[in-house]
Amino acid sequence: MTPEFDLTDARLAAATVADCPTLAALARSAHSHPWSERQYRDSIEAGHDGWLLRSREGEAIACCVISRLFDAAEILDIAVAPRWRRRGVAGALLTQLLAQLPPEIERVLLEVRTSSRAARSLYRKLGFREDGLRKNYYPADGGAREDAVLMSLCLEHP
């Protein structure tokens, strides 16, 4: 069994427009229908919080994009490089990013493919609950569409 990932073994930094090629390459390695470099650029330029996690050697391990509006945040994208999966990277990254949200953020929202059992399990472990379905939300292979599970997490601030 692989030990849980420790973020002290990596560098987490706010992503900039200059990181967009790296973010897009990471997404291509991780997702069947990844965000493009342009989508990352548009998101960062729109003021969304982009994060890039690198190993000590500089390898891109994971990324995450979060949008904040008033009292809610939405996880728009998260990707973990295939060779770094099943090590607790996504859980450690999300735990840190959720802890960094300002106190006015009361809820975190996300959508996840119905077929992504590992991601849904991780989100449930982090305290997210499944709130419903968004029919035919995601593109799928062969021109088909896949439902999205809507999930939310109520944050408790001290």
Side-chain angles (χ1 to χ4, degrees):
M1 182 166 181
T2 308
E4 285 298 305
F5 185 77
D6 183 352
L7 280 180
T8 61
D9 292 335
R11 294 183 330 249
L12 179 62
T16 67
V17 170
D19 293 314
C20 291
T22 301
L23 298 171
L26 180 60
R28 281 191 303 275
S29 77
H31 297 308
S32 62
H33 294 81
W35 277 22
S36 67
E37 184 177 331
R38 178 67 189 213
Q39 285 171 295
Y40 283 107
R41 185 179 322 108
D42 289 348
S43 191
I44 289 170
E45 288 176 347
H48 299 156
D49 299 324
W51 297 96
L52 180 57
L53 182 67
R54 292 184 181 273
S55 69
R56 287 183 181 173
E57 296 76 31
E59 177 186 358
I61 296 173
C63 65
C64 185
V65 178
I66 299 175
S67 171
R68 291 187 281 158
L69 184 62
F70 303 113
D71 64 347
E74 183 176 5
I75 298 171
L76 301 176
D77 180 64
I78 184 165
V80 176
R83 80 178 208 91
W84 288 91
R85 290 185 182 157
R86 300 208 172 283
R87 298 186 195 191
V89 171
L93 176 59
L94 285 173
T95 297
Q96 179 163 335
L97 294 178
L98 293 174
Q100 291 177 192
L101 289 172
E104 64 267 16
I105 300 296
E106 297 175 2
R107 250 172 34 129
V108 180
L109 309 169
L110 61 84
E111 291 127 0
V112 61
R113 290 178 181 273
T114 54
S115 64
S116 188
R117 290 188 183 107
R120 289 170 60 193
S121 175
L122 168 66
Y123 297 138
R124 282 192 299 271
K125 284 180 190 174
L126 292 173
F128 283 83
R129 70 169 199 233
E130 295 186 4
D131 299 321
L133 281 179
R134 185 166 282 153
K135 294 287 189 183
N136 300 316
Y137 184 73
Y138 287 110
D141 292 337
R145 305 293 295 180
E146 183 176 356
D147 296 344
V149 177
L150 304 173
M151 301 185 80
S152 66
L153 171 68
C154 290
L155 297 177
E156 294 179 20
H157 296 285

